[in-house]
């Protein structure tokens, strides 16, 4: 904007606009909201824009508000004839007119398209790129059996990205492997539903449930099975005990034996527990894939 011949107030208005809109738009997508205190529709739209901007802050979106009564020259430069008027600004230029989008869903859909088209990456993308190798390292350490060290790394990742489901699930599994069942349960119980239902967290919850099975002397169970191989209750308890001992092979064998002898026993309890065992191991794990093939062979032959 040219400043020649402007009053001091107008120069200050331009400076504010450059600080609040132009400069941020060099690296972010700025939602520019023209409004006024007396404007009823503005008061309805304002909270929606604020929520969207908050939700999309990590994606590279910022909100700037221009009071047309206080910043008449800025409004005139944008030829604002009615309010609310809303533009998307990027690198100092309007890239979209968002005025007709009034609902949260409509605005977010428009922003998603703009962010993709303009290839804008916010802090979320940067954090994700940073934590991805850390998660891989923590998983590898956990696989080698150093659960406490893995837990420390997963906790560091969670400090960087508190809602990252992979970090949360990994931390819980590391706590379970370290015998810290109470801490793992407390962490899971405190998660909001939208995070607690994610696959990575469901896997961790399955691992906790299996590890929570009380350890028992299996000799009496073995004796019962020797006397009666169709004692499914004893075999089911034996499988649980083997899970608690970390003997996944024997646990899987016993559960599949129940399915082989009576797949509908106790409303399919053996098959359900077997699938829980696979989930705790990780459904993409090669061992789990092999076990699923064993289950399929029993069910479909």
């Amino acid at each position: 904007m040219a400043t020649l011949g402007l009053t001091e107030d107008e120069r200050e208005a331009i400076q504010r606009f450059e600080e609040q809109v132009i400069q941020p738009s060099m690296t972010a997508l700025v939602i520019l909201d023209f409004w006024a205190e007396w404007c009823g529709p503005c008061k309805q739209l304002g909270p929606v824009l604020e929520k969207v901007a908050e939700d999309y802050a990590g994606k590279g979106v910022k909100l700037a508000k221009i009071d047309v009564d206080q910043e008449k020259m800025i409004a005139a430069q944008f030829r604002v004839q009615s309010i609310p008027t809303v533009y998307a600004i990027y690198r100092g230029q309007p890239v979209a007119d968002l005025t007709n989008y009034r609902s949260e869903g409509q605005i977010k859909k428009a922003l998603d398209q703009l962010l993709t088209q303009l290839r804008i990456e916010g802090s979320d993308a940067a954090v994700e790129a940073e934590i991805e190798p850390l998660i891989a390292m923590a998983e590898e350490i956990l696989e080698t059996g150093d659960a406490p060290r893995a837990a420390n790394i997963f906790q560091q990742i969670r400090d960087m990205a508190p809602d990252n489901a992979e970090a949360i699930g990994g931390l819980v599994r590391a706590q379970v492997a370290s015998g810290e069942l109470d801490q793992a349960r407390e962490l899971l119980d405190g998660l909001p539903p939208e995070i607690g239902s994610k696959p990575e967290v469901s896997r961790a919850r399955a691992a906790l449930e299996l590890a929570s099975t009380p350890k028992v002397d299996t000799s009496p169970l073995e004796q019962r099975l020797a006397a009666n191989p169709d004692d499914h209750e004893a075999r089911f308890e034996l499988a649980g005990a083997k899970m608690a001992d970390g003997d996944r092979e024997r646990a899987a064998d016993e559960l599949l034996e129940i399915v082989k002898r009576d797949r509908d026993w106790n409303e399919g309890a053996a098959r359900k527990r077997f699938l829980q065992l696979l989930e705790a191991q990780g459904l993409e794990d090669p061992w789990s894939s092999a076990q699923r093939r064993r289950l399929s062979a029993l069910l479909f032959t």
Side-chain angles (χ1 to χ4, degrees):
M1 294 181 182
T3 60
L4 186 63
L6 298 180
T7 66
E8 185 62 28
D9 287 344
E10 290 172 335
R11 290 176 186 273
E12 291 178 357
I14 291 176
Q15 183 177 353
R16 285 194 299 271
F17 183 77
E18 290 180 347
E19 293 175 353
Q20 297 173 10
V21 179
I22 300 300
Q23 293 178 12
S25 76
M26 293 298 106
T27 56
L29 185 67
V30 176
I31 302 173
L32 181 57
D33 176 27
F34 289 94
W35 72 292
E37 188 65 37
W38 48 264
C39 171
C42 297
K43 293 181 178 180
Q44 293 178 338
L45 181 61
V48 177
L49 293 176
E50 290 170 4
K51 183 178 185 304
V52 170
E54 181 180 356
D55 291 345
Y56 275 57
K59 297 182 179 182
V61 174
K62 298 180 181 294
L63 174 65
K65 301 176 71 69
I66 300 292
D67 186 331
V68 297
D69 290 335
Q70 301 295 326
E71 309 286 4
K72 294 180 180 179
M73 188 191 70
I74 303 297
Q77 289 284 335
F78 280 84
R79 299 179 181 178
V80 174
Q81 298 180 348
S82 63
I83 51 175
T85 292
V86 184
Y87 290 113
I89 309 293
Y90 184 57
R91 294 185 178 176
Q93 300 295 325
V95 293
D97 185 345
L98 305 178
T99 302
N100 292 327
Y101 302 128
R102 299 301 176 91
S103 72
E104 181 180 337
Q106 290 174 333
I107 297 169
K108 286 185 174 181
K109 183 177 180 180
L111 291 178
D112 287 337
Q113 293 175 345
L114 288 171
L115 292 171
T116 300
Q117 293 170 359
L118 298 172
R119 297 182 180 179
I120 298 173
E121 293 187 355
S123 58
D124 287 352
V127 170
E128 184 175 347
E130 185 177 353
I131 67 177
E132 185 174 344
L134 293 177
I135 289 177
M137 180 175 66
E139 290 286 1
E140 184 177 347
I141 292 172
L142 181 58
E143 185 69 21
T144 63
D146 194 348
R149 185 182 171 206
N152 287 334
I153 297 175
F154 279 123
Q155 183 59 63
Q156 292 174 20
I157 298 170
R158 196 185 179 209
D159 291 340
M160 299 167 59
D163 295 334
N164 185 280
E166 286 186 276
I168 294 171
L171 176 56
V172 170
R173 287 186 289 109
Q175 289 173 332
V176 169
S178 300
E180 299 175 346
L181 304 188
D182 290 340
Q183 293 91 322
R185 188 172 292 105
E186 182 179 356
L187 174 54
L188 288 174
D189 290 344
L191 295 176
E194 62 271 17
I195 296 178
S197 61
K198 291 188 175 182
E200 300 88 346
V201 179
S202 296
R203 176 188 175 187
R205 183 174 288 106
L208 175 61
E209 291 178 5
L210 294 179
S212 299
T213 304
K215 294 185 177 182
V216 297
D217 179 7
T218 60
S219 298
L221 298 173
E222 300 275 12
Q223 293 173 3
R224 285 171 58 183
L225 284 174
N228 179 14
D230 286 327
D231 188 343
H232 301 323
E233 183 177 350
R235 196 178 297 277
F236 189 77
E237 292 181 14
L238 177 60
K242 292 302 179 180
M243 290 178 193
D245 287 335
D247 188 351
R248 65 181 185 179
E249 298 290 349
R250 180 70 185 279
D253 289 346
E254 298 301 342
L255 290 171
L256 287 176
E257 185 65 23
I258 296 175
V259 174
K260 178 181 178 181
R261 290 173 178 270
D262 186 354
R263 69 179 63 180
D264 296 324
W265 174 77
N266 197 16
E267 299 181 348
R271 180 173 54 85
K272 294 176 184 177
R273 182 57 63 89
F274 181 80
L275 293 176
Q276 187 182 46
L277 176 62
L278 303 192
E279 185 178 27
Q281 182 63 32
L283 296 179
E284 302 303 321
D285 186 89
W287 183 83
S288 297
S289 298
Q291 297 303 319
R292 280 203 307 271
R293 289 192 291 271
R294 293 180 65 194
L295 176 63
S296 297
L298 286 176
L299 295 177
F300 300 110
T301 57

